[in-house]
mmCIF file of all heavy atoms in Angstrom:
data_model
loop_
_atom_site.group_PDB
_atom_site.id
_atom_site.type_symbol
_atom_site.label_atom_id
_atom_site.label_comp_id
_atom_site.label_asym_id
_atom_site.label_seq_id
_atom_site.Cartn_x
_atom_site.Cartn_y
_atom_site.Cartn_z
ATOM 1 N N LEU A 685 1.005 5.094 0.567
ATOM 2 C CA LEU A 685 0.289 6.224 1.134
ATOM 3 C C LEU A 685 0.993 7.504 0.722
ATOM 4 O O LEU A 685 2.215 7.541 0.587
ATOM 5 C CB LEU A 685 0.247 6.106 2.656
ATOM 6 C CG LEU A 685 -0.392 4.824 3.180
ATOM 7 C CD1 LEU A 685 -0.302 4.778 4.693
ATOM 8 C CD2 LEU A 685 -1.845 4.722 2.724
ATOM 9 N N CYS A 703 -2.994 12.774 4.542
ATOM 10 C CA CYS A 703 -2.521 11.516 3.978
ATOM 11 C C CYS A 703 -3.679 10.865 3.234
ATOM 12 O O CYS A 703 -4.797 10.805 3.750
ATOM 13 C CB CYS A 703 -2.022 10.605 5.088
ATOM 14 S SG CYS A 703 -1.438 8.991 4.549
ATOM 15 N N PHE A 713 -8.737 3.682 5.637
ATOM 16 C CA PHE A 713 -7.907 4.005 6.793
ATOM 17 C C PHE A 713 -8.482 3.412 8.072
ATOM 18 O O PHE A 713 -7.722 3.046 8.978
ATOM 19 C CB PHE A 713 -7.768 5.524 6.935
ATOM 20 C CG PHE A 713 -6.778 6.124 5.977
ATOM 21 C CD1 PHE A 713 -7.196 6.721 4.805
ATOM 22 C CD2 PHE A 713 -5.422 6.089 6.258
ATOM 23 C CE1 PHE A 713 -6.279 7.276 3.925
ATOM 24 C CE2 PHE A 713 -4.499 6.646 5.380
ATOM 25 C CZ PHE A 713 -4.927 7.233 4.217
ATOM 26 N N TYR A 716 -7.222 -0.027 9.614
ATOM 27 C CA TYR A 716 -5.841 -0.193 10.058
ATOM 28 C C TYR A 716 -5.522 0.689 11.259
ATOM 29 O O TYR A 716 -6.168 1.724 11.476
ATOM 30 C CB TYR A 716 -4.873 0.188 8.928
ATOM 31 C CG TYR A 716 -4.993 -0.675 7.702
ATOM 32 C CD1 TYR A 716 -5.888 -0.341 6.695
ATOM 33 C CD2 TYR A 716 -4.218 -1.821 7.558
ATOM 34 C CE1 TYR A 716 -6.010 -1.141 5.562
ATOM 35 C CE2 TYR A 716 -4.338 -2.617 6.431
ATOM 36 C CZ TYR A 716 -5.232 -2.271 5.441
ATOM 37 O OH TYR A 716 -5.349 -3.061 4.326
ATOM 38 N N THR A 717 -4.530 0.272 12.017
ATOM 39 C CA THR A 717 -3.887 1.194 12.941
ATOM 40 C C THR A 717 -3.045 2.117 12.071
ATOM 41 O O THR A 717 -2.198 1.652 11.301
ATOM 42 C CB THR A 717 -3.038 0.444 13.958
ATOM 43 O OG1 THR A 717 -3.901 -0.238 14.876
ATOM 44 C CG2 THR A 717 -2.124 1.388 14.732
ATOM 45 N N ILE A 718 -3.291 3.412 12.174
ATOM 46 C CA ILE A 718 -2.734 4.371 11.242
ATOM 47 C C ILE A 718 -2.150 5.543 12.011
ATOM 48 O O ILE A 718 -2.639 5.889 13.094
ATOM 49 C CB ILE A 718 -3.872 4.843 10.283
ATOM 50 C CG1 ILE A 718 -3.316 5.673 9.138
ATOM 51 C CG2 ILE A 718 -4.971 5.574 11.024
ATOM 52 C CD1 ILE A 718 -2.782 4.859 8.016
ATOM 53 N N GLY A 719 -1.132 6.143 11.463
ATOM 54 C CA GLY A 719 -0.549 7.263 12.188
ATOM 55 C C GLY A 719 0.574 7.938 11.434
ATOM 56 O O GLY A 719 0.754 7.737 10.225
ATOM 57 N N TRP A 720 1.318 8.731 12.176
ATOM 58 C CA TRP A 720 2.422 9.518 11.637
ATOM 59 C C TRP A 720 3.705 9.254 12.420
ATOM 60 O O TRP A 720 3.679 9.153 13.635
ATOM 61 C CB TRP A 720 2.091 11.009 11.740
ATOM 62 C CG TRP A 720 0.900 11.436 10.970
ATOM 63 C CD1 TRP A 720 -0.402 11.429 11.396
ATOM 64 C CD2 TRP A 720 0.866 11.937 9.631
ATOM 65 N NE1 TRP A 720 -1.221 11.892 10.402
ATOM 66 C CE2 TRP A 720 -0.467 12.211 9.315
ATOM 67 C CE3 TRP A 720 1.858 12.193 8.671
ATOM 68 C CZ2 TRP A 720 -0.859 12.730 8.072
ATOM 69 C CZ3 TRP A 720 1.482 12.703 7.436
ATOM 70 C CH2 TRP A 720 0.137 12.969 7.153
ATOM 71 N N PHE A 721 4.790 9.153 11.686
ATOM 72 C CA PHE A 721 6.086 9.177 12.330
ATOM 73 C C PHE A 721 6.942 10.188 11.580
ATOM 74 O O PHE A 721 6.618 10.601 10.466
ATOM 75 C CB PHE A 721 6.734 7.786 12.371
ATOM 76 C CG PHE A 721 7.186 7.239 11.037
ATOM 77 C CD1 PHE A 721 8.472 7.461 10.587
ATOM 78 C CD2 PHE A 721 6.331 6.468 10.263
ATOM 79 C CE1 PHE A 721 8.898 6.937 9.372
ATOM 80 C CE2 PHE A 721 6.742 5.940 9.049
ATOM 81 C CZ PHE A 721 8.022 6.177 8.599
ATOM 82 N N ARG A 722 8.025 10.601 12.184
ATOM 83 C CA ARG A 722 8.913 11.557 11.536
ATOM 84 C C ARG A 722 10.353 11.077 11.647
ATOM 85 O O ARG A 722 10.697 10.282 12.514
ATOM 86 C CB ARG A 722 8.739 12.946 12.142
ATOM 87 C CG ARG A 722 9.133 13.060 13.601
ATOM 88 C CD ARG A 722 8.694 14.427 14.155
ATOM 89 N NE ARG A 722 9.076 14.597 15.562
ATOM 90 C CZ ARG A 722 8.708 15.627 16.314
ATOM 91 N NH1 ARG A 722 7.956 16.590 15.792
ATOM 92 N NH2 ARG A 722 9.116 15.707 17.574
ATOM 93 N N ARG A 729 13.647 6.742 13.342
ATOM 94 C CA ARG A 729 12.254 7.181 13.270
ATOM 95 C C ARG A 729 11.715 7.496 14.659
ATOM 96 O O ARG A 729 12.070 6.835 15.634
ATOM 97 C CB ARG A 729 11.387 6.066 12.669
ATOM 98 C CG ARG A 729 11.703 5.696 11.256
ATOM 99 C CD ARG A 729 10.852 4.495 10.855
ATOM 100 N NE ARG A 729 11.074 4.090 9.479
ATOM 101 C CZ ARG A 729 10.458 3.070 8.899
ATOM 102 N NH1 ARG A 729 9.590 2.350 9.586
ATOM 103 N NH2 ARG A 729 10.715 2.770 7.647
ATOM 104 N N GLU A 730 10.804 8.464 14.699
ATOM 105 C CA GLU A 730 10.131 8.830 15.953
ATOM 106 C C GLU A 730 8.628 8.811 15.739
ATOM 107 O O GLU A 730 8.110 9.493 14.842
ATOM 108 C CB GLU A 730 10.565 10.232 16.400
ATOM 109 C CG GLU A 730 9.874 10.706 17.668
ATOM 110 C CD GLU A 730 10.139 12.167 17.992
ATOM 111 O OE1 GLU A 730 10.719 12.870 17.145
ATOM 112 O OE2 GLU A 730 9.752 12.606 19.099
ATOM 113 N N THR A 731 7.938 8.050 16.540
ATOM 114 C CA THR A 731 6.478 8.069 16.480
ATOM 115 C C THR A 731 5.972 9.441 16.885
ATOM 116 O O THR A 731 6.419 10.005 17.891
ATOM 117 C CB THR A 731 5.885 7.019 17.420
ATOM 118 O OG1 THR A 731 6.303 5.708 17.010
ATOM 119 C CG2 THR A 731 4.362 7.087 17.421
ATOM 120 N N VAL A 732 5.049 9.970 16.101
ATOM 121 C CA VAL A 732 4.428 11.259 16.424
ATOM 122 C C VAL A 732 3.040 11.039 17.031
ATOM 123 O O VAL A 732 2.750 11.497 18.136
ATOM 124 C CB VAL A 732 4.324 12.135 15.167
ATOM 125 C CG1 VAL A 732 3.580 13.432 15.484
ATOM 126 C CG2 VAL A 732 5.701 12.443 14.607
ATOM 127 N N SER A 733 2.198 10.341 16.307
ATOM 128 C CA SER A 733 0.832 10.122 16.770
ATOM 129 C C SER A 733 0.206 8.996 15.960
ATOM 130 O O SER A 733 0.603 8.739 14.823
ATOM 131 C CB SER A 733 0.006 11.406 16.589
ATOM 132 O OG SER A 733 -1.308 11.232 17.069
ATOM 133 N N CYS A 734 -0.779 8.324 16.553
ATOM 134 C CA CYS A 734 -1.462 7.258 15.835
ATOM 135 C C CYS A 734 -2.864 7.051 16.389
ATOM 136 O O CYS A 734 -3.206 7.545 17.473
ATOM 137 C CB CYS A 734 -0.669 5.958 15.870
ATOM 138 S SG CYS A 734 -0.152 5.416 17.499
ATOM 139 N N ILE A 735 -3.659 6.331 15.592
ATOM 140 C CA ILE A 735 -5.023 5.960 15.965
ATOM 141 C C ILE A 735 -5.108 4.438 15.900
ATOM 142 O O ILE A 735 -4.805 3.830 14.874
ATOM 143 C CB ILE A 735 -6.064 6.562 14.999
ATOM 144 C CG1 ILE A 735 -5.949 8.081 14.942
ATOM 145 C CG2 ILE A 735 -7.479 6.159 15.421
ATOM 146 C CD1 ILE A 735 -6.858 8.733 13.896
ATOM 147 N N SER A 736 -5.541 3.841 16.989
ATOM 148 C CA SER A 736 -5.659 2.388 17.039
ATOM 149 C C SER A 736 -6.867 1.903 16.251
ATOM 150 O O SER A 736 -7.967 2.448 16.384
ATOM 151 C CB SER A 736 -5.792 1.928 18.491
ATOM 152 O OG SER A 736 -6.114 0.553 18.547
ATOM 153 N N GLN A 737 -6.660 0.883 15.420
ATOM 154 C CA GLN A 737 -7.777 0.273 14.691
ATOM 155 C C GLN A 737 -8.689 -0.489 15.647
ATOM 156 O O GLN A 737 -9.896 -0.602 15.420
ATOM 157 C CB GLN A 737 -7.234 -0.672 13.618
ATOM 158 C CG GLN A 737 -8.298 -1.276 12.704
ATOM 159 C CD GLN A 737 -8.886 -2.562 13.241
ATOM 160 O OE1 GLN A 737 -8.257 -3.272 14.016
ATOM 161 N NE2 GLN A 737 -10.110 -2.856 12.841
ATOM 162 N N SER A 741 -8.404 4.435 20.057
ATOM 163 C CA SER A 741 -7.641 5.243 21.006
ATOM 164 C C SER A 741 -6.514 5.963 20.280
ATOM 165 O O SER A 741 -6.038 5.519 19.228
ATOM 166 C CB SER A 741 -7.091 4.369 22.129
ATOM 167 O OG SER A 741 -6.258 3.354 21.612
ATOM 168 N N TYR A 743 -2.692 8.015 20.416
ATOM 169 C CA TYR A 743 -1.393 8.136 21.090
ATOM 170 C C TYR A 743 -0.702 9.379 20.546
ATOM 171 O O TYR A 743 -0.728 9.641 19.339
ATOM 172 C CB TYR A 743 -0.529 6.901 20.837
ATOM 173 C CG TYR A 743 0.901 7.093 21.296
ATOM 174 C CD1 TYR A 743 1.254 6.855 22.615
ATOM 175 C CD2 TYR A 743 1.877 7.559 20.421
ATOM 176 C CE1 TYR A 743 2.551 7.067 23.047
ATOM 177 C CE2 TYR A 743 3.171 7.782 20.845
ATOM 178 C CZ TYR A 743 3.502 7.530 22.158
ATOM 179 O OH TYR A 743 4.779 7.758 22.603
ATOM 180 N N TYR A 744 -0.082 10.104 21.448
ATOM 181 C CA TYR A 744 0.761 11.240 21.065
ATOM 182 C C TYR A 744 2.107 11.119 21.770
ATOM 183 O O TYR A 744 2.159 10.806 22.964
ATOM 184 C CB TYR A 744 0.126 12.570 21.471
ATOM 185 C CG TYR A 744 -1.121 12.929 20.724
ATOM 186 C CD1 TYR A 744 -2.384 12.678 21.259
ATOM 187 C CD2 TYR A 744 -1.057 13.533 19.477
ATOM 188 C CE1 TYR A 744 -3.540 13.015 20.572
ATOM 189 C CE2 TYR A 744 -2.208 13.879 18.774
ATOM 190 C CZ TYR A 744 -3.445 13.616 19.331
ATOM 191 O OH TYR A 744 -4.597 13.950 18.648
ATOM 192 N N ALA A 745 3.172 11.400 21.063
ATOM 193 C CA ALA A 745 4.473 11.493 21.706
ATOM 194 C C ALA A 745 4.454 12.673 22.674
ATOM 195 O O ALA A 745 3.774 13.681 22.429
ATOM 196 C CB ALA A 745 5.564 11.703 20.656
ATOM 197 N N ILE A 754 -4.299 14.545 15.821
ATOM 198 C CA ILE A 754 -4.506 13.592 14.730
ATOM 199 C C ILE A 754 -6.005 13.383 14.543
ATOM 200 O O ILE A 754 -6.778 13.403 15.508
ATOM 201 C CB ILE A 754 -3.795 12.249 15.030
ATOM 202 C CG1 ILE A 754 -3.766 11.358 13.790
ATOM 203 C CG2 ILE A 754 -4.440 11.538 16.217
ATOM 204 C CD1 ILE A 754 -2.881 10.123 13.954
ATOM 205 N N LEU A 763 -6.257 10.804 6.422
ATOM 206 C CA LEU A 763 -5.716 10.951 7.763
ATOM 207 C C LEU A 763 -5.057 12.317 7.835
ATOM 208 O O LEU A 763 -4.372 12.718 6.890
ATOM 209 C CB LEU A 763 -4.683 9.862 8.045
ATOM 210 C CG LEU A 763 -4.015 9.900 9.411
ATOM 211 C CD1 LEU A 763 -4.998 9.457 10.491
ATOM 212 C CD2 LEU A 763 -2.773 9.017 9.417
ATOM 213 N N TYR A 778 7.948 13.943 7.546
ATOM 214 C CA TYR A 778 6.804 13.299 8.184
ATOM 215 C C TYR A 778 6.194 12.274 7.236
ATOM 216 O O TYR A 778 5.948 12.569 6.061
ATOM 217 C CB TYR A 778 5.755 14.337 8.579
ATOM 218 C CG TYR A 778 6.151 15.144 9.792
ATOM 219 C CD1 TYR A 778 7.183 16.075 9.720
ATOM 220 C CD2 TYR A 778 5.512 14.961 11.018
ATOM 221 C CE1 TYR A 778 7.560 16.806 10.840
ATOM 222 C CE2 TYR A 778 5.888 15.684 12.139
ATOM 223 C CZ TYR A 778 6.914 16.604 12.037
ATOM 224 O OH TYR A 778 7.287 17.325 13.152
ATOM 225 N N TYR A 779 5.946 11.097 7.775
ATOM 226 C CA TYR A 779 5.370 10.010 7.000
ATOM 227 C C TYR A 779 4.072 9.546 7.632
ATOM 228 O O TYR A 779 3.985 9.431 8.863
ATOM 229 C CB TYR A 779 6.311 8.805 6.962
ATOM 230 C CG TYR A 779 7.665 9.057 6.360
ATOM 231 C CD1 TYR A 779 8.709 9.578 7.113
ATOM 232 C CD2 TYR A 779 7.916 8.742 5.023
ATOM 233 C CE1 TYR A 779 9.956 9.794 6.562
ATOM 234 C CE2 TYR A 779 9.167 8.951 4.461
ATOM 235 C CZ TYR A 779 10.167 9.479 5.230
ATOM 236 O OH TYR A 779 11.409 9.688 4.670
ATOM 237 N N CYS A 780 3.075 9.261 6.814
ATOM 238 C CA CYS A 780 1.913 8.545 7.313
ATOM 239 C C CYS A 780 2.122 7.066 7.017
ATOM 240 O O CYS A 780 2.798 6.700 6.039
ATOM 241 C CB CYS A 780 0.611 9.058 6.714
ATOM 242 S SG CYS A 780 0.469 8.893 4.931
ATOM 243 N N ALA A 781 1.563 6.234 7.854
ATOM 244 C CA ALA A 781 1.848 4.812 7.738
ATOM 245 C C ALA A 781 0.791 3.983 8.447
ATOM 246 O O ALA A 781 0.047 4.486 9.301
ATOM 247 C CB ALA A 781 3.219 4.508 8.357
ATOM 248 N N THR A 782 0.734 2.717 8.078
ATOM 249 C CA THR A 782 -0.007 1.742 8.863
ATOM 250 C C THR A 782 1.004 0.998 9.723
ATOM 251 O O THR A 782 2.171 0.850 9.345
ATOM 252 C CB THR A 782 -0.757 0.729 7.970
ATOM 253 O OG1 THR A 782 0.205 -0.009 7.194
ATOM 254 C CG2 THR A 782 -1.695 1.445 7.016
ATOM 255 N N GLY A 783 0.570 0.541 10.877
ATOM 256 C CA GLY A 783 1.486 -0.141 11.768
ATOM 257 C C GLY A 783 0.780 -1.165 12.617
ATOM 258 O O GLY A 783 -0.446 -1.283 12.605
ATOM 259 N N ALA A 784 1.577 -1.903 13.393
ATOM 260 C CA ALA A 784 1.023 -2.960 14.228
ATOM 261 C C ALA A 784 0.528 -2.444 15.574
ATOM 262 O O ALA A 784 -0.436 -2.965 16.138
ATOM 263 C CB ALA A 784 2.052 -4.058 14.436
ATOM 264 N N TYR A 785 1.205 -1.434 16.107
ATOM 265 C CA TYR A 785 0.899 -0.965 17.466
ATOM 266 C C TYR A 785 0.687 0.542 17.483
ATOM 267 O O TYR A 785 1.470 1.279 16.897
ATOM 268 C CB TYR A 785 2.054 -1.304 18.414
ATOM 269 C CG TYR A 785 2.529 -2.723 18.347
ATOM 270 C CD1 TYR A 785 3.753 -3.043 17.777
ATOM 271 C CD2 TYR A 785 1.747 -3.764 18.839
ATOM 272 C CE1 TYR A 785 4.192 -4.342 17.701
ATOM 273 C CE2 TYR A 785 2.180 -5.071 18.763
ATOM 274 C CZ TYR A 785 3.405 -5.359 18.195
ATOM 275 O OH TYR A 785 3.827 -6.650 18.118
ATOM 276 N N CYS A 786 -0.344 0.969 18.176
ATOM 277 C CA CYS A 786 -0.530 2.404 18.392
ATOM 278 C C CYS A 786 0.037 2.741 19.759
ATOM 279 O O CYS A 786 -0.666 2.739 20.772
ATOM 280 C CB CYS A 786 -1.999 2.793 18.287
ATOM 281 S SG CYS A 786 -2.221 4.587 18.379
ATOM 282 N N SER A 787 1.323 3.035 19.766
ATOM 283 C CA SER A 787 2.042 3.379 20.977
ATOM 284 C C SER A 787 3.350 4.015 20.522
ATOM 285 O O SER A 787 3.533 4.298 19.342
ATOM 286 C CB SER A 787 2.315 2.121 21.801
ATOM 287 O OG SER A 787 3.256 1.287 21.133
ATOM 288 N N ASN A 788 4.279 4.172 21.478
ATOM 289 C CA ASN A 788 5.573 4.720 21.062
ATOM 290 C C ASN A 788 6.328 3.744 20.156
ATOM 291 O O ASN A 788 7.330 4.112 19.544
ATOM 292 C CB ASN A 788 6.419 5.080 22.277
ATOM 293 C CG ASN A 788 6.688 3.880 23.167
ATOM 294 O OD1 ASN A 788 5.794 3.095 23.445
ATOM 295 N ND2 ASN A 788 7.918 3.734 23.594
ATOM 296 N N TYR A 789 5.831 2.515 20.015
ATOM 297 C CA TYR A 789 6.451 1.534 19.120
ATOM 298 C C TYR A 789 5.901 1.603 17.702
ATOM 299 O O TYR A 789 6.305 0.814 16.840
ATOM 300 C CB TYR A 789 6.248 0.116 19.656
ATOM 301 C CG TYR A 789 6.949 -0.134 20.962
ATOM 302 C CD1 TYR A 789 6.232 -0.266 22.141
ATOM 303 C CD2 TYR A 789 8.325 -0.224 21.018
ATOM 304 C CE1 TYR A 789 6.877 -0.486 23.348
ATOM 305 C CE2 TYR A 789 8.980 -0.448 22.213
ATOM 306 C CZ TYR A 789 8.254 -0.578 23.371
ATOM 307 O OH TYR A 789 8.888 -0.790 24.560
ATOM 308 N N PHE A 790 4.989 2.527 17.452
ATOM 309 C CA PHE A 790 4.355 2.574 16.134
ATOM 310 C C PHE A 790 5.401 2.682 15.017
ATOM 311 O O PHE A 790 5.343 1.959 14.025
ATOM 312 C CB PHE A 790 3.381 3.753 16.053
ATOM 313 C CG PHE A 790 2.768 3.949 14.692
ATOM 314 C CD1 PHE A 790 1.720 3.144 14.274
ATOM 315 C CD2 PHE A 790 3.237 4.925 13.834
ATOM 316 C CE1 PHE A 790 1.151 3.307 13.017
ATOM 317 C CE2 PHE A 790 2.684 5.102 12.581
ATOM 318 C CZ PHE A 790 1.631 4.289 12.167
ATOM 319 N N ALA A 791 6.355 3.589 15.197
ATOM 320 C CA ALA A 791 7.342 3.838 14.146
ATOM 321 C C ALA A 791 8.167 2.602 13.817
ATOM 322 O O ALA A 791 8.648 2.447 12.688
ATOM 323 C CB ALA A 791 8.260 4.989 14.535
ATOM 324 N N SER A 792 8.366 1.738 14.802
ATOM 325 C CA SER A 792 9.161 0.528 14.566
ATOM 326 C C SER A 792 8.295 -0.648 14.136
ATOM 327 O O SER A 792 8.826 -1.746 13.912
ATOM 328 C CB SER A 792 9.956 0.157 15.817
ATOM 329 O OG SER A 792 9.104 -0.075 16.915
ATOM 330 N N SER A 793 6.984 -0.440 14.015
ATOM 331 C CA SER A 793 6.071 -1.516 13.625
ATOM 332 C C SER A 793 5.370 -1.224 12.310
ATOM 333 O O SER A 793 4.343 -1.816 12.010
ATOM 334 C CB SER A 793 5.018 -1.742 14.719
ATOM 335 O OG SER A 793 4.054 -0.702 14.732
ATOM 336 N N VAL A 794 5.942 -0.313 11.539
ATOM 337 C CA VAL A 794 5.305 0.138 10.301
ATOM 338 C C VAL A 794 5.183 -0.997 9.291
ATOM 339 O O VAL A 794 6.132 -1.745 9.036
ATOM 340 C CB VAL A 794 6.086 1.314 9.703
ATOM 341 C CG1 VAL A 794 5.679 1.569 8.258
ATOM 342 C CG2 VAL A 794 5.868 2.564 10.544
ATOM 343 N N HIS A 795 4.004 -1.111 8.702
ATOM 344 C CA HIS A 795 3.760 -2.079 7.641
ATOM 345 C C HIS A 795 3.895 -1.412 6.266
ATOM 346 O O HIS A 795 4.565 -1.934 5.387
ATOM 347 C CB HIS A 795 2.356 -2.672 7.756
ATOM 348 C CG HIS A 795 2.163 -3.531 8.950
ATOM 349 N ND1 HIS A 795 0.929 -3.716 9.541
ATOM 350 C CD2 HIS A 795 3.024 -4.276 9.677
ATOM 351 C CE1 HIS A 795 1.044 -4.535 10.563
ATOM 352 N NE2 HIS A 795 2.308 -4.889 10.675
ATOM 353 N N SER A 796 3.214 -0.297 6.099
ATOM 354 C CA SER A 796 3.205 0.389 4.806
ATOM 355 C C SER A 796 3.328 1.884 5.030
ATOM 356 O O SER A 796 2.773 2.417 6.000
ATOM 357 C CB SER A 796 1.902 0.112 4.055
ATOM 358 O OG SER A 796 1.720 -1.255 3.826
ATOM 359 N N ARG A 797 4.032 2.507 4.153
ATOM 360 C CA ARG A 797 4.141 3.966 4.189
ATOM 361 C C ARG A 797 4.391 4.442 2.767
ATOM 362 O O ARG A 797 4.574 3.658 1.852
ATOM 363 C CB ARG A 797 5.266 4.422 5.096
ATOM 364 C CG ARG A 797 6.648 4.025 4.599
ATOM 365 C CD ARG A 797 7.706 4.797 5.358
ATOM 366 N NE ARG A 797 9.053 4.435 4.962
ATOM 367 C CZ ARG A 797 9.700 5.001 3.952
ATOM 368 N NH1 ARG A 797 9.121 5.930 3.225
ATOM 369 N NH2 ARG A 797 10.931 4.646 3.674
#
Side-chain angles (χ1 to χ4, degrees):
L685 302 177
C703 179
F713 282 99
Y716 298 89
T717 288
I718 189 83
W720 298 88
F721 70 92
R722 64 189 181 187
R729 296 175 179 180
E730 178 189 9
T731 298
V732 176
S733 182
C734 52
I735 303 174
S736 171
Q737 185 272 335
S741 59
Y743 169 85
Y744 292 98
I754 191 171
L763 179 73
Y778 285 70
Y779 300 85
C780 62
T782 62
Y785 311 108
C786 186
S787 69
N788 60 316
Y789 295 109
F790 175 79
S792 59
S793 74
V794 165
H795 292 153
S796 301
R797 66 166 178 87

